[in-house]
Amino acid sequence: MRRHEIAVIPGDGIGREVTPAALEVLEAAGRAHGFALDLTEHPWGCDYFVDTGRMMPVDALDVLRGTDAIFLGAVGRPDVPDHISLWGLLIPIRRTFRQYVNLRPIRLWPGIPSPLKDVTPEQVDMVIVRENNEGEYSEIGGRLHHGTEDELAVQESLFTRKGTDRIMDFACELAATRSGRICSATKSNGIIHTMPFWDERFAHATARHPQLQSEQVLIDALAALVVLDPGRFDVIVASNLFGDILSDLAAAVAGSIGIAPSGNLNPEREFPSMFEPIHGSAPDIAGQGIANPIGAIWSGAQMLEHLGEADAAAAVLDAIEQMLAEDGPRTRDLGGTATTADVTTALATRFRNA
Ligand SMILES: NC(=O)c1ccc[n+]([C@@H]2O[C@H](COP(=O)([O-])OP(=O)(O)OC[C@H]3O[C@@H](n4cnc5c(N)ncnc54)[C@H](O)[C@@H]3O)[C@@H](O)[C@H]2O)c1
């Protein structure tokens, strides 16, 4: 039997509810498709921070380095500043393991109502390719004159040619396997150094892929267009900040942030990649057992595909699609009354009965 070694970090809040739910479905898929997941769970996150002063142990990255993949729930707790939870765990993992692609597919599943009227599943099927290692999320900057009238904060964005070209190339290659349409999210009217550079590198990348139909759209107009005309978009390549915001917006267009997955990919496979739903720890619903596990389960399907288990990954997506189309259980964010466990059981059972 094939085996895959997975580091599991459930994290905080609903991360601890959707992670076991997703693993139940993935393990059921594994049994049906001839592989097993060797799971090692790590209790890292905000509780760990409150107890130890660190989001994860000093040797955490060495512990993760040898694994085949990392499966994460979410981090964040209201009494721990968000920059501590992000910079103490997620960002070091993404950067140390050169997970420079954040792949965020968005689909309106048949049977799920979109908040947009008259929109069909065929019109909402896009992938946001978010740059994941640099851009606006940088540590360069500082604060001066704390607590005085002269107080100031400076934050620098960082765009390298290497970092920009590799994300553009990844997005172009992905677009070539889909409809051939690619859109770059820019803001080169207002941001006068980094965004014209981003546009230049996009022009270079699309010149290397002349078969693609490419456009660039200012991020503010793009946000409106994703709502008004989602069918126009297939692959969207975006900087770290723009991709982050745009994917929550697009997930809402597709019915719920609770459905959307993400893969933090190291395409060269020098290091493990990490898979996590795009949502956070949702403290407002944590502990109630009502979180939608589909985002975590779909992220798990992305992980299976990355591990070479493409048939099982496709089967997990088919199971989600059929369950939703057959009016199966829905959590509250989708207008239903089902619990996390109801949705998980409905999906896992499909593999047990297969
Ligand atoms: N990758 C991550 O770990 C990550 C990502 C985003 C936010 N966060 C952290 O999470 C905490 C909460 O952030 P937030 O409230 O801005 O975003 P959030 O994604 O946690 O929640 C936003 C809204 O969506 C709902 N929601 C989210 N996931 C859901 C699910 N699976 N099922 C049903 N409803 C769901 C929540 O109930 C909430 O109303 C913060 O500490 C933030 O820093 C972490």
Side-chain angles (χ1 to χ4, degrees), residues 60-187:
L61 295 170
D62 291 330
V63 170
L64 298 175
R65 194 180 301 272
T67 61
D68 295 321
I70 304 162
F71 193 58
L72 178 88
V75 288
R77 196 175 113 165
D79 58 346
V80 174
D82 285 337
H83 66 271
I84 288 185
S85 48
L86 199 68
W87 284 89
L89 191 145
L90 267 181
I91 291 189
I93 295 174
R94 288 175 176 166
R95 294 194 178 182
T96 304
F97 297 147
R98 276 187 226 141
Q99 297 166 351
Y100 61 84
V101 175
N102 193 212
L103 195 66
R104 296 185 162 197
I106 309 280
R107 277 180 65 185
L108 176 60
W109 295 88
I112 295 293
S114 165
L116 305 183
K117 70 175 165 54
D118 301 333
V119 76
T120 63
E122 294 71 36
Q123 290 168 307
V124 184
D125 184 1
M126 64 184 92
V127 184
I128 295 174
V129 179
R130 169 190 173 196
E131 201 293 317
N132 210 29
N133 274 184
E134 50 179 54
E136 303 86 347
Y137 293 5
S138 106
E139 281 169 290
I140 305 170
R143 292 177 65 166
L144 281 178
H145 309 308
H146 286 266
T148 73
E149 275 187 6
D150 296 323
E151 187 163 12
L152 65 92
V154 176
Q155 176 88 49
E156 301 284 356
S157 296
L158 184 84
F159 288 75
T160 64
R161 182 187 278 217
K162 195 170 143 192
T164 309
D165 283 357
R166 67 188 178 188
I167 197 71
M168 299 286 185
D169 280 334
F170 184 94
C172 286
E173 281 159 25
L174 179 66
T177 66
R178 293 173 53 99
S179 70
R181 282 179 288 128
I182 184 165
C183 173
S184 164
T186 184
K187 190 62 190 165

Side-chain angles (χ1 to χ4, degrees), residues 105-106 247 251 256-262 276-279 294-296 298-299:
I106 309 280
S247 49
S256 169
I257 190 181
I259 295 181
S262 78
E276 53 170 332
I278 75 164
H279 64 72
I294 293 179
W298 189 354
S299 307

Side-chain angles (χ1 to χ4, degrees), residues 41 56 132 185 190 201 211 293:
E41 188 172 317
M56 54 185 185
N132 210 29
R201 302 321 302 169
Q211 78 279 26

